[in-house]
Amino acid sequence: DTAVSQTPKYLVTQMGNDKSIKCEQNLGHDTMYWYKQDSKKFLKIMFSYNNKELIINETVPNRFSPKSPDKAHLNLHINSLELGDSAVYFCASRMQGARETQYFGPGTRLLVL
Amino acid sequence: DQQVKQNSPSLSVQEGRISILNCDYTNSMFDYFLWYKKYPAEGPTFLISISSIKDKNEDGRFTVFLNKSAKHLSLHIVPSQPGDSAVYFCAALTQGGSEKLVFGKGTKLTVNP
């Protein structure tokens, strides 16, 4: 009965590769997010989608491309991976509406070698 | 440009005593504040929130205090329990904004039995 799930949990890959991270929520929420937690432990928003439409894009390199096939899924594709992309990526979701709580997934730990 | 600051990376307290976690912010447009708790290898989970029109919000053992003039908030946990050991993130939302959470770096709380 996982609310927000992410796959894979761990991802180790070489520089220059292309990889995808998947996120699914079964909470019936209509807004989903991707956050990045870097080595300095800052959690920063990357993207947000509402009803499959991009609403937040936080100056992220265009090597990162989110895709939302439906309201319950928000995937993150990363092209030409760089060492600096190593981080923990968290997906989150919430219902549209002021001050609704965001629910986070368990994170995907990406290590680029 | 850190808009939300948690200056103590760690805090250690004895079981049964009070834990006080502090958070400062610089953006006067923030009008809603949240605390998230994070265990290792899990995503952040919502703990408690406060609107800028209030100066205190209480939920069981957890109380959040807001001092708008000082741009400071604190989370009090009393009595502290070993299960409270986690990283606590302070986060803020901008009024009328796109529900984009801005996080602090987190404080790791250890409650010793």
Side-chain angles (χ1 to χ4, degrees):
Chain A
D1 61 344
T2 306
V4 183
S5 59
Q6 294 179 229
T7 52
K9 278 197 90 168
Y10 299 94
L11 185 53
V12 181
T13 188
Q14 299 288 331
M15 256 190 344
N17 284 349
D18 302 338
K19 290 292 178 187
S20 291
I21 307 172
K22 297 188 176 184
C23 178
E24 177 181 1
Q25 53 93 6
N26 62 5
L27 297 165
H29 292 166
D30 55 8
T31 304
M32 296 184 73
Y33 303 81
W34 277 110
Y35 287 83
K36 177 182 179 180
Q37 186 179 31
D38 60 23
S39 57
K40 294 180 182 174
K41 304 300 182 188
F42 281 110
L43 252 174
K44 289 186 181 172
I45 191 166
M46 300 173 70
F47 300 102
S48 173
Y49 270 72
N50 175 257
N51 282 318
K52 303 195 298 175
E53 196 175 320
L54 181 68
I55 55 173
I56 296 174
N57 184 341
E58 280 292 300
T59 322
V60 177
N62 56 17
R63 297 183 296 105
F64 290 78
S65 50
K67 286 202 172 36
S68 181
D70 54 59
K71 284 197 314 183
H73 295 85
L74 180 61
N75 303 324
L76 184 64
H77 188 76
I78 316 170
N79 287 328
S80 302
L81 277 155
E82 300 177 358
L83 294 176
D85 297 333
S86 296
V88 184
Y89 293 84
F90 289 98
C91 176
S93 73
R94 70 176 189 100
M95 275 307 294
Q96 179 75 339
R99 309 313 186 215
E100 290 289 333
T101 300
Q102 291 186 28
Y103 293 83
F104 284 78
T108 295
R109 283 138 193 88
L110 171 65
L111 177 61
V112 182
L113 301 174
Chain B
D1 171 29
Q2 268 181 264
Q3 297 184 70
V4 177
K5 299 178 188 180
Q6 293 177 257
N7 291 321
S8 298
S10 62
L11 174 68
S12 185
V13 300
Q14 285 299 119
E15 182 177 4
R17 307 293 282 265
I18 186 170
S19 295
I20 300 177
L21 297 106
N22 293 305
C23 177
D24 297 291
Y25 62 96
T26 57
N27 189 341
S28 55
M29 297 296 287
F30 289 146
D31 72 337
Y32 195 76
F33 303 90
L34 307 92
W35 286 93
Y36 276 80
K37 174 179 176 179
K38 185 184 177 305
Y39 292 117
E42 293 184 12
T45 54
F46 171 73
L47 192 58
I48 192 169
S49 62
I50 188 166
S51 165
S52 60
I53 61 172
K54 294 186 173 183
D55 54 18
K56 177 181 172 182
N57 188 26
E58 196 171 346
D59 183 3
R61 297 185 297 113
F62 303 91
T63 303
V64 56
F65 295 92
L66 175 62
N67 181 334
K68 273 184 69 177
S69 59
K71 293 194 175 73
H72 176 84
L73 60 153
S74 60
L75 174 68
H76 291 212
I77 307 172
V78 56
S80 301
Q81 298 172 355
D84 296 329
S85 298
V87 177
Y88 289 78
F89 289 96
C90 174
L93 285 170
T94 308
Q95 64 187 20
S98 54
E99 301 295 316
K100 181 177 73 174
L101 281 171
V102 179
F103 282 91
K105 255 171 102 162
T107 296
K108 183 177 181 181
L109 173 66
T110 303
V111 180
N112 301 302

